[in-house]
Amino acid sequence: DDDEGLVRWGRRTLLMGVLNVTPDSFSDGGRFDSAAAATAHALELEAAGADIIDVGAVSTRPGAVAVSPEEELRRAAPVVQALHASPLRAPISVDTSCAAVAAELAALGARVVNDVSGGAMDREMLPTVARLGLPAVLMHMRGDPATMASLARYDDVVADVRGEL
């Protein structure tokens, strides 16, 4: 990693520690929804080998209900601020599909944007990430969390995903 906290890609495979700050997380049941609990967990993830800490404030589990950008920021902003001010050395990633949220959280210290929709849910996401000069993790999803499970039918999963990205 360089002095700016950006990720240097290509040296080796990097491990992303997932830090869910949602009340309905499928993996942790909302245990890290305070800035203090989230920071403690992020430091544990880093000590265990995580190279990047990915903060997610919207559940993307199948069937999840969407939340507003304001609610996403209410959940994520204090955590990103606390992580940025903490001894954490790993770059902070934000798991969001909303360009405005990505920009706000980048201003607070996020250095990577992880968009599960690959830019499809907000047409401003890719131009925003480019303008910010941040690395982006672009994932594939058909539909949205409420509908994606019913749309996950592929003839050739690798070819279909490649074509859709």
Side-chain angles (χ1 to χ4, degrees):
D1 301 83
D2 65 21
D3 294 337
E4 297 293 319
L6 294 175
V7 177
R8 291 190 188 230
W9 305 101
R11 291 184 184 167
R12 63 179 178 82
T13 300
L14 300 176
L15 181 64
M16 181 179 277
V18 175
L19 179 58
N20 291 315
V21 295
T22 60
D24 59 344
S25 170
F26 68 91
S27 64
D28 60 44
R31 292 189 342 222
F32 310 115
D33 61 352
S34 74
T39 300
H41 188 58
L43 292 168
E44 290 171 3
L45 289 169
E46 182 178 53
D51 299 295
I52 302 167
I53 302 299
D54 187 51
V55 178
V58 175
S59 179
T60 53
R61 64 177 166 69
V65 176
V67 300
S68 69
E70 294 79 16
E71 177 62 15
E72 185 177 4
L73 281 169
R74 186 191 68 74
R75 295 173 182 177
V79 172
V80 171
Q81 284 179 305
L83 292 177
H84 188 64
S86 79
L88 184 74
R89 294 179 46 88
I92 302 163
S93 168
V94 290
D95 180 350
T96 185
S97 296
C98 177
V101 170
E104 289 283 333
L105 296 178
L108 298 176
R111 294 293 170 256
V112 178
V113 174
N114 176 16
D115 182 352
V116 298
S117 81
M121 292 178 77
D122 184 341
R123 68 178 358 163
E124 292 302 314
M125 179 60 87
L126 299 180
T128 297
V129 172
R131 178 178 49 77
L132 295 170
L134 296 181
V137 177
L138 302 177
M139 299 172 65
H140 173 269
M141 174 175 54
R142 285 183 173 167
D144 57 37
T147 63
M148 67 185 183
S150 67
L151 300 173
R153 290 180 179 76
Y154 301 91
D155 293 322
D156 178 334
V157 69
V158 173
D160 292 350
V161 169
R162 182 183 306 164
E164 291 174 21
L165 284 175

